[in-house]
Amino acid sequence: MKRNGYGALCGFCLALATCSGWASELRFCLRADPRTFDPLQVDDGASDTVRYLTGGVLMRLNRRTQQLQPELATAWTVNAAGNSITFTLRPNVRFSDGTPFAAEDVAYTVRRLMDPALHSPTGDAFRSGEGAVVERVLGRDRITIVFPHPVVGLDKLFDQVAMESARSPLKERAVLGPYFIAEYKPGQYLLLKKNSHYWKHDAQGNALPYIDTIRLEIEPNPDMEMLRLLRGQIDLIDAVDAAHYDQLAARAPKMAMDAGVSLDSEQVWFNQTPSSLLPAYKKAWFTSANFRRAISESIDRGAMARVVYRGHARAAVSWVSPANRYWFDSKLPPYPLDRRAALRLLAREGFSQRNGTLYDKEGHAVEFSVITNAGNTARERMATMMQQDLAAIGIRLNVVTLDFPSLIERITRSFNYEACLLGLVNNDLDPNSQMNVWLSSAETHQWNPAEKKPATAWEAEIDGLMRMQASTMDLKKRKQAIDRVQEIVRQQEPFLYLVNSDALVAVSPRLHNVEPVVLRPQVFWNIEWLWLSGGGGR
């Protein structure tokens, strides 16, 4: 038994997996079609999965050790000011179509990443201040990238930047990762094939990855997804809801794995976009901090963790998960459940109850809808519990479930919604990775995206704090800034954080070398080293 840097492998089993001649195919599900195959424009889970499996990065954050390890760059140096990074690239690497990889490709990728016209969510994390980014190609295998201001954790941010070719006619379809996109049938499946030009080999000289193809079935229904797993039609579920997890643990306990409290969150927010077609009185509700706090104080988060997640979750406290021990602000108290206090907050804004119904100062009964994605049982049940909680203070909440593409269209383009219940997947311990949420100018500033200037004083303060923490090398100052952002968010509640769920996964017994982790992806983070017993047969 020996360690390969990703996990332990049995030499005899490895020989079977690599020398038998079997064509192996890993199968698992995406909950929706990928929105993009451009790795620099990824802002949804399905696209992120494809990027992880196909994109080659300069360095990778090992999801188990949470340490950076070399990938396409064999070495890198960040200058003392924190605004420049120099990479030494791995020689003789080729894209999946055979096009050579060189420093010019890194320069091209960074130029696209930082182009304001692209609106790259990944690029937002590098924007610690105004000014141009300069790429200095020092040779075929060396490049320096200079940012106008210091960028904290600069090297770690490149974990999310998949390199693109400056010369390949395939554009973003030419990749440097272990797999490339071979076939796509929208609404049905996405087929990835092993990249024959992939640079990695194991200690015995065998080409990686071990698995030949990956079939990603488009399956929005988690009940069907679990049924497929139990029937042997798929091999893993990277994130399982608590109800399915308990059912699986009772039926096939070896297939159910709990990696512990995750960094992910579930939250509700109100549409505060000025251009939305909501009536003025509802815009007034949603832009009122007292209204948002009153809603928050009426929600029983503990019950959600117990009932919806069957104890496999914790009531949220902040936008930073308690699992993130350094960055979580431990001074923050739990969210209160105090409906009398909620009514007092509402009274300050002119709301009052009559015959069990809450009215605003203009006489409008308080009623609004929350949208969430259909098929997500946990979110649907949380929304139902919110209905009951808000009814206790006289508010009528309507729950609307939408297919995921329709939901995304409403919250990012048409803004035809009142409130939304959705989750945030967090792939990084460093809060700098959420610059694309907290900067008011960011596209994923969800309650009011892409503000030309901060709409409120508190958003302006958050902008300043996030930019400051992203441009100083002083860890103590960064911690103070992030704690202050957490305090502002608790005061203003642009997001109503509900729960932090456990990282629950499900894995077929024929999939080997699995080491579930808290960071996404939780099962296939070490995809090159996973292998299947029984080859491609079932």
Side-chain angles (χ1 to χ4, degrees):
M1 189 79 73
K2 65 180 180 179
R3 182 72 61 181
N4 60 25
Y6 292 83
L9 287 176
C10 164
F12 172 71
C13 295
L14 180 57
L16 287 178
T18 59
C19 301
S20 64
W22 285 325
S24 56
E25 181 171 274
L26 177 71
R27 294 190 177 198
F28 61 99
C29 295
L30 300 177
R31 296 288 172 83
D33 286 273
R35 293 180 61 198
T36 181
F37 293 132
D38 183 344
L40 304 186
Q41 293 188 296
V42 168
D43 65 353
D44 65 292
S47 301
D48 189 51
T49 293
V50 176
R51 177 173 65 179
Y52 193 90
L53 295 170
T54 62
V57 295
L58 296 173
M59 66 274 284
R60 177 66 80 194
L61 183 73
N62 184 300
R63 267 49 176 178
R64 178 174 55 81
T65 66
Q66 298 182 4
Q67 299 296 316
L68 278 180
Q69 60 191 32
E71 290 283 318
L72 297 172
T74 58
W76 59 89
T77 303
V78 178
N79 68 350
N83 72 322
S84 173
I85 186 166
T86 299
F87 296 103
T88 301
L89 304 182
R90 194 174 298 278
N92 305 317
V93 173
R94 292 181 177 271
F95 286 87
S96 54
D97 67 342
T99 304
F101 168 66
E104 288 82 0
D105 300 304
V106 178
Y108 169 76
T109 302
V110 172
R111 281 196 298 274
R112 281 201 73 228
L113 177 75
M114 303 309 296
D115 182 353
L118 187 67
H119 300 294
S120 169
T122 306
D124 284 339
F126 292 87
R127 302 185 202 282
S128 60
E130 300 296 327
V133 177
V134 177
E135 308 89 23
R136 297 173 182 164
V137 176
L138 308 177
R140 179 177 177 81
D141 298 331
R142 278 179 62 80
I143 183 171
T144 295
I145 303 167
V146 182
F147 292 83
H149 299 274
V151 180
V152 169
L154 178 57
D155 50 358
K156 293 182 177 66
L157 294 177
F158 281 91
D159 170 79
Q160 300 291 320
V161 183
M163 293 294 109
E164 296 186 338
S165 174
R167 291 162 289 177
S168 172
L170 296 181
K171 303 294 184 183
E172 65 265 16
R173 292 294 187 101
V175 297
L176 293 163
Y179 296 93
F180 68 92
I181 298 171
E183 187 178 353
Y184 175 44
K185 290 193 175 182
Q188 297 182 47
Y189 66 87
L190 183 68
L191 183 67
L192 309 181
K193 289 188 176 179
K194 181 176 179 176
N195 177 6
S196 61
H197 293 285
Y198 192 52
W199 58 272
K200 284 188 186 179
H201 293 76
D202 66 14
Q204 290 75 37
N206 298 302
L208 296 175
Y210 295 130
I211 295 171
D212 296 300
T213 62
I214 300 177
R215 184 174 294 269
L216 302 171
E217 307 278 356
I218 312 301
E219 178 53 77
N221 187 330
D223 293 328
M224 288 301 302
E225 185 180 30
M226 182 59 67
L227 186 60
R228 287 188 181 192
L229 180 76
L230 291 169
R231 288 176 174 173
Q233 296 170 345
I234 62 173
D235 302 298
L236 67 90
I237 304 177
D238 198 57
V240 183
D241 66 67
H244 285 110
Y245 179 86
D246 283 352
Q247 292 169 13
L248 182 65
R251 184 169 177 178
K254 291 185 179 179
M255 297 173 69
M257 301 181 185
D258 186 342
V261 178
S262 75
L263 302 179
D264 299 346
S265 60
E266 297 289 330
Q267 63 250 31
V268 173
W269 72 90
F270 294 100
N271 182 3
Q272 298 185 52
T273 310
S275 62
S276 74
L277 298 179
L278 297 177
Y281 67 89
K282 286 194 175 182
K283 288 183 178 180
W285 298 351
F286 301 158
T287 55
S288 164
N290 280 333
F291 180 87
R292 297 191 299 269
R293 281 199 294 267
I295 300 299
S296 180
E297 293 191 12
S298 302
I299 296 172
D300 191 341
R301 293 167 171 81
M304 287 181 176
R306 292 190 306 272
V307 176
V308 177
Y309 289 89
R310 300 171 179 244
H312 300 295
R314 295 184 187 179
V317 177
S318 166
W319 59 273
V320 179
S321 167
N324 195 341
R325 295 182 181 178
Y326 181 79
W327 293 106
F328 174 68
D329 184 355
S330 59
K331 300 187 300 297
L332 291 176
Y335 280 102
L337 174 60
D338 191 338
R339 291 176 183 136
R340 290 184 179 179
L343 289 170
R344 289 195 294 271
L345 286 170
L346 291 166
R348 293 180 193 174
E349 302 295 312
F351 292 87
S352 60
Q353 278 189 326
R354 295 198 301 273
N355 300 319
T357 298
L358 187 70
Y359 294 87
D360 69 11
K361 59 187 176 183
E362 296 177 358
H364 300 106
V366 180
E367 176 180 351
F368 60 89
S369 61
V370 61
I371 60 173
T372 194
N373 52 314
N376 188 308
T377 306
R379 288 179 188 148
E380 291 175 355
R381 295 184 69 191
M382 279 194 289
T384 299
M385 293 184 74
M386 282 181 57
Q387 262 185 332
Q388 298 167 354
D389 289 340
L390 297 186
I393 61 169
I395 294 176
R396 180 173 178 177
L397 176 66
N398 303 306
V399 178
V400 179
T401 59
L402 301 170
D403 63 85
F404 202 69
S406 297
L407 184 146
I408 294 297
E409 193 277 334
R410 291 203 187 194
I411 66 175
T412 62
R413 295 185 181 90
S414 71
F415 304 113
N416 180 23
Y417 76 101
E418 295 179 333
C420 181
L421 167 57
L422 209 58
L424 180 65
V425 174
N426 210 342
N427 291 321
D428 196 345
L429 294 169
D430 196 305
N432 203 45
S433 64
Q434 289 198 39
M435 290 285 281
N436 63 335
V437 174
W438 295 113
L439 287 182
S440 61
S441 59
E443 295 289 325
T444 47
H445 186 70
Q446 288 171 303
W447 67 91
N448 187 6
E451 298 176 10
K452 292 182 180 179
K453 63 178 183 179
T456 62
W458 59 267
E459 286 172 287
E461 186 179 357
I462 288 178
D463 280 0
L465 289 164
M466 291 301 292
R467 287 199 171 102
M468 185 275 284
Q469 68 82 32
S471 61
T472 178
M473 300 297 110
D474 188 324
L475 191 60
K476 184 177 179 181
K477 288 183 178 178
R478 289 195 67 209
K479 171 63 172 168
Q480 291 171 345
I482 295 300
D483 281 357
R484 175 59 185 154
V485 174
Q486 291 178 75
E487 291 165 6
I488 295 170
V489 172
R490 277 296 297 268
Q491 292 164 4
Q492 300 296 330
E493 303 230 45
F495 291 118
L496 280 57
Y497 287 93
L498 303 177
V499 297
N500 298 113
S501 60
D502 283 4
L504 306 176
V505 303
V507 182
S508 163
R510 79 185 199 107
L511 183 62
H512 301 277
N513 206 28
V514 174
E515 296 184 58
V517 293
V518 168
L519 294 176
R520 302 287 180 106
Q522 292 161 189
V523 175
F524 58 89
W525 63 273
N526 57 341
I527 185 65
E528 302 101 318
W529 304 93
L530 299 182
W531 59 276
L532 293 159
S533 56
R538 295 189 183 278

Short mmCIF file of all heavy atoms in Angstrom, two decimals, residues 51-52 56 104 130 157 215 230 254 288 309 355 417 473 508 513 536:
data_model
loop_
_atom_site.label_atom_id
_atom_site.label_comp_id
_atom_site.label_asym_id
_atom_site.label_seq_id
_atom_site.Cartn_x
_atom_site.Cartn_y
_atom_site.Cartn_z
N ARG A 51 -16.03 21.94 -15.85
CA ARG A 51 -14.74 22.62 -15.79
C ARG A 51 -13.74 21.82 -14.97
O ARG A 51 -12.57 21.69 -15.36
CB ARG A 51 -14.91 24.02 -15.20
CG ARG A 51 -13.58 24.76 -15.04
CD ARG A 51 -13.77 26.20 -14.60
NE ARG A 51 -14.34 26.33 -13.27
CZ ARG A 51 -14.56 27.51 -12.67
NH1 ARG A 51 -14.30 28.64 -13.32
NH2 ARG A 51 -15.09 27.55 -11.46
N TYR A 52 -14.17 21.28 -13.85
CA TYR A 52 -13.25 20.54 -12.99
C TYR A 52 -12.71 19.30 -13.70
O TYR A 52 -11.54 18.94 -13.57
CB TYR A 52 -13.94 20.14 -11.69
CG TYR A 52 -12.97 19.65 -10.64
CD1 TYR A 52 -12.39 20.53 -9.74
CD2 TYR A 52 -12.63 18.31 -10.54
CE1 TYR A 52 -11.48 20.10 -8.78
CE2 TYR A 52 -11.74 17.85 -9.59
CZ TYR A 52 -11.16 18.75 -8.71
OH TYR A 52 -10.26 18.31 -7.78
N GLY A 56 -7.59 22.24 -17.31
CA GLY A 56 -6.27 22.14 -16.71
C GLY A 56 -5.91 23.45 -16.04
O GLY A 56 -6.11 24.53 -16.61
N GLU A 104 2.29 31.78 -23.74
CA GLU A 104 1.36 32.64 -24.47
C GLU A 104 -0.09 32.26 -24.18
O GLU A 104 -0.99 33.12 -24.20
CB GLU A 104 1.62 32.55 -25.98
CG GLU A 104 2.90 33.23 -26.44
CD GLU A 104 4.15 32.38 -26.24
OE1 GLU A 104 4.00 31.23 -25.73
OE2 GLU A 104 5.25 32.83 -26.58
N GLU A 130 -8.84 49.10 -9.09
CA GLU A 130 -8.88 49.52 -10.49
C GLU A 130 -7.49 49.44 -11.11
O GLU A 130 -6.47 49.53 -10.43
CB GLU A 130 -9.41 50.96 -10.59
CG GLU A 130 -10.82 51.15 -10.03
CD GLU A 130 -11.85 50.37 -10.81
OE1 GLU A 130 -11.68 50.21 -12.03
OE2 GLU A 130 -12.84 49.91 -10.19
N LEU A 157 -6.10 31.39 -6.02
CA LEU A 157 -7.20 31.73 -6.92
C LEU A 157 -7.07 31.06 -8.27
O LEU A 157 -8.06 30.85 -8.97
CB LEU A 157 -7.26 33.25 -7.10
CG LEU A 157 -7.62 34.07 -5.86
CD1 LEU A 157 -7.58 35.55 -6.18
CD2 LEU A 157 -8.99 33.69 -5.32
N ARG A 215 -19.91 9.53 -18.27
CA ARG A 215 -21.22 9.89 -18.82
C ARG A 215 -21.99 10.64 -17.74
O ARG A 215 -22.29 10.10 -16.68
CB ARG A 215 -22.00 8.65 -19.25
CG ARG A 215 -23.34 8.97 -19.94
CD ARG A 215 -23.99 7.71 -20.47
NE ARG A 215 -23.21 7.13 -21.52
CZ ARG A 215 -23.37 7.39 -22.83
NH1 ARG A 215 -24.32 8.26 -23.20
NH2 ARG A 215 -22.61 6.82 -23.73
N LEU A 230 -28.97 2.88 -6.80
CA LEU A 230 -29.29 1.59 -6.21
C LEU A 230 -29.41 0.50 -7.27
O LEU A 230 -29.13 -0.68 -7.00
CB LEU A 230 -30.58 1.68 -5.40
CG LEU A 230 -30.48 2.52 -4.11
CD1 LEU A 230 -31.86 2.79 -3.52
CD2 LEU A 230 -29.59 1.81 -3.09
N LYS A 254 -22.72 0.87 3.49
CA LYS A 254 -21.37 1.09 2.97
C LYS A 254 -21.34 2.10 1.84
O LYS A 254 -20.27 2.63 1.50
CB LYS A 254 -20.77 -0.23 2.50
CG LYS A 254 -20.46 -1.19 3.65
CD LYS A 254 -19.76 -2.44 3.15
CE LYS A 254 -19.43 -3.37 4.31
NZ LYS A 254 -18.76 -4.62 3.85
N SER A 288 -36.18 47.37 2.94
CA SER A 288 -36.17 47.74 4.36
C SER A 288 -35.41 46.69 5.17
O SER A 288 -35.77 45.52 5.19
CB SER A 288 -37.60 47.85 4.88
OG SER A 288 -37.62 47.84 6.30
N TYR A 309 -33.24 18.30 7.38
CA TYR A 309 -31.94 17.66 7.20
C TYR A 309 -31.71 16.50 8.16
O TYR A 309 -30.62 15.93 8.18
CB TYR A 309 -30.82 18.69 7.34
CG TYR A 309 -30.77 19.64 6.15
CD1 TYR A 309 -31.52 20.81 6.15
CD2 TYR A 309 -30.01 19.33 5.03
CE1 TYR A 309 -31.50 21.66 5.06
CE2 TYR A 309 -29.99 20.18 3.94
CZ TYR A 309 -30.73 21.34 3.96
OH TYR A 309 -30.72 22.18 2.88
N ASN A 355 -56.90 41.06 12.46
CA ASN A 355 -57.53 39.75 12.28
C ASN A 355 -56.55 38.69 11.78
O ASN A 355 -56.85 37.87 10.90
CB ASN A 355 -58.72 39.85 11.31
CG ASN A 355 -59.78 40.81 11.80
OD1 ASN A 355 -60.09 40.84 12.99
ND2 ASN A 355 -60.33 41.60 10.88
N TYR A 417 -39.17 38.04 -10.10
CA TYR A 417 -39.36 37.24 -8.89
C TYR A 417 -39.41 38.18 -7.70
O TYR A 417 -39.04 39.35 -7.80
CB TYR A 417 -38.25 36.21 -8.74
CG TYR A 417 -36.93 36.77 -8.25
CD1 TYR A 417 -36.54 36.64 -6.92
CD2 TYR A 417 -36.06 37.45 -9.12
CE1 TYR A 417 -35.33 37.16 -6.47
CE2 TYR A 417 -34.87 37.98 -8.67
CZ TYR A 417 -34.51 37.82 -7.35
OH TYR A 417 -33.32 38.34 -6.90
N MET A 473 -1.47 42.06 2.89
CA MET A 473 -0.84 40.80 3.26
C MET A 473 -0.91 40.56 4.78
O MET A 473 -0.46 39.54 5.26
CB MET A 473 0.63 40.78 2.83
CG MET A 473 0.83 40.94 1.33
SD MET A 473 0.12 39.58 0.37
CE MET A 473 -1.24 40.43 -0.43
N SER A 508 -20.97 4.01 -5.20
CA SER A 508 -21.10 2.60 -5.55
C SER A 508 -19.90 1.81 -5.04
O SER A 508 -18.77 2.31 -5.07
CB SER A 508 -21.19 2.45 -7.07
OG SER A 508 -20.94 1.12 -7.47
N ASN A 513 -10.81 3.92 -4.53
CA ASN A 513 -9.90 5.02 -4.18
C ASN A 513 -10.66 6.29 -3.85
O ASN A 513 -10.18 7.40 -4.07
CB ASN A 513 -8.88 5.28 -5.30
CG ASN A 513 -7.61 5.90 -4.76
OD1 ASN A 513 -7.23 5.68 -3.62
ND2 ASN A 513 -6.94 6.68 -5.58
N GLY A 536 -16.23 -2.00 -17.65
CA GLY A 536 -17.40 -1.25 -18.08
C GLY A 536 -18.68 -2.04 -17.92
O GLY A 536 -19.76 -1.55 -18.19
#
